[in-house]
Amino acid sequence: MFDPASLRFDGHGLIPAIAQDADNGEVLMLAWMNEESIVRTLRSGRATYWSRSRQAFWTKGESSGHVQELVELRLDCDRDCLLLLVRQTGPACHTNRRSCFYTAVRDGTETEIMAPAL
Amino acid sequence: MFDPASLRFDGHGLIPAIAQDADNGEVLMLAWMNEESIVRTLRSGRATYWSRSRQAFWTKGESSGHVQELVELRLDCDRDCLLLLVRQTGPACHTNRRSCFYTAVRDGTETEIMAPAL
């Protein structure tokens, strides 16, 4: 059985979690989880992170409706990072863009490569 | 101009960096960078991380030959995470697998979904 306690959490009890679109492979965001948020995510099938700024559980989309349905949870070789394959409803980013990684460095300059959804 | 010092580093001066295969979108690994490793990566075109265990710069592939050629550097909305699109030579993982995320949680059990390269 998978035991979330067997993962390697940092000094704050957190582990980084990458959310990736299960359908097209787009990297949507990185957020943080603690042990209990992993349990909640697996139990509910909805990505549930730990908000470091609010120091509270954060079920993605609970206010915006932009939920992330968990397709598969993966862990890395060092057991200190998670990869969540998800079905993302609406934009993942709070700026209303599909992905949080909408800024590219091109020719040494920050370039916006993704517009907010209308 | 893009200034790496404008990023938000953690208390150890580090920022998580996701390496993604530029061609097929596979998430290969997550590692950490400090300001100088970002400068070196952009200057050399080779992904260069900061090894927390060795407390040293770590040019990916310098001993194994499994280098990561930088295709594009992206940053997220909070400026506290990087996404590196790379061309990966050979396996990214030290276990000789293509990606470090070779373990999936399926039916509550850890399942290996990727074999090491021969």
Side-chain angles (χ1 to χ4, degrees), chain A residues 33-53:
Chain A
M33 293 184 143
N34 59 16
E35 191 180 323
E36 174 65 17
S37 69
I38 298 167
V39 171
R40 292 186 185 200
T41 297
L42 288 171
R43 191 189 296 145
S44 67
R46 291 266 171 103
T48 302
Y49 303 101
W50 177 257
S51 167
R52 296 176 302 171
S53 56

Side-chain angles (χ1 to χ4, degrees), chain A residues 12-27:
Chain A
H12 303 285
L14 299 175
I15 187 170
I18 303 160
Q20 182 181 30
D21 188 302
D23 295 319
N24 67 14
E26 187 175 13
V27 174

Side-chain angles (χ1 to χ4, degrees), chain B:
Chain B
M1 292 297 292
F2 168 65
D3 179 5
S6 69
L7 297 170
R8 288 171 61 198
F9 297 93
D10 70 10
H12 303 285
L14 299 175
I15 187 169
I18 304 161
Q20 182 182 29
D21 188 302
D23 295 319
N24 67 15
E26 187 175 11
V27 174
L28 300 171
M29 55 184 277
L30 180 137
W32 296 80
M33 292 183 145
N34 59 15
E35 190 180 325
E36 173 65 16
S37 69
I38 298 167
V39 171
R40 292 186 185 200
T41 297
L42 289 171
R43 191 189 296 145
S44 67
R46 291 268 171 100
T48 301
Y49 303 101
W50 177 257
S51 168
R52 296 177 300 170
S53 56
R54 292 189 289 115
Q55 290 285 301
F57 290 104
W58 164 41
T59 300
K60 176 75 183 154
E62 64 190 338
S63 54
S64 65
H66 300 153
V67 296
Q68 291 179 338
E69 179 197 342
L70 182 69
V71 174
E72 187 161 274
L73 178 72
R74 296 183 186 166
L75 43 131
D76 78 346
C77 51
D78 291 332
R79 308 181 72 81
D80 64 1
C81 184
L82 299 175
L83 177 65
L84 279 72
L85 304 187
V86 301
R87 291 233 163 74
Q88 172 72 51
T89 299
C93 184
H94 73 287
T95 67
N96 220 31
R97 290 173 178 86
R98 179 77 189 156
S99 161
C100 293
F101 296 94
Y102 58 82
T103 305
V105 177
R106 292 183 177 171
D107 298 323
T109 302
E110 293 187 24
T111 307
E112 189 182 315
I113 58 172
M114 204 178 301
L118 296 177

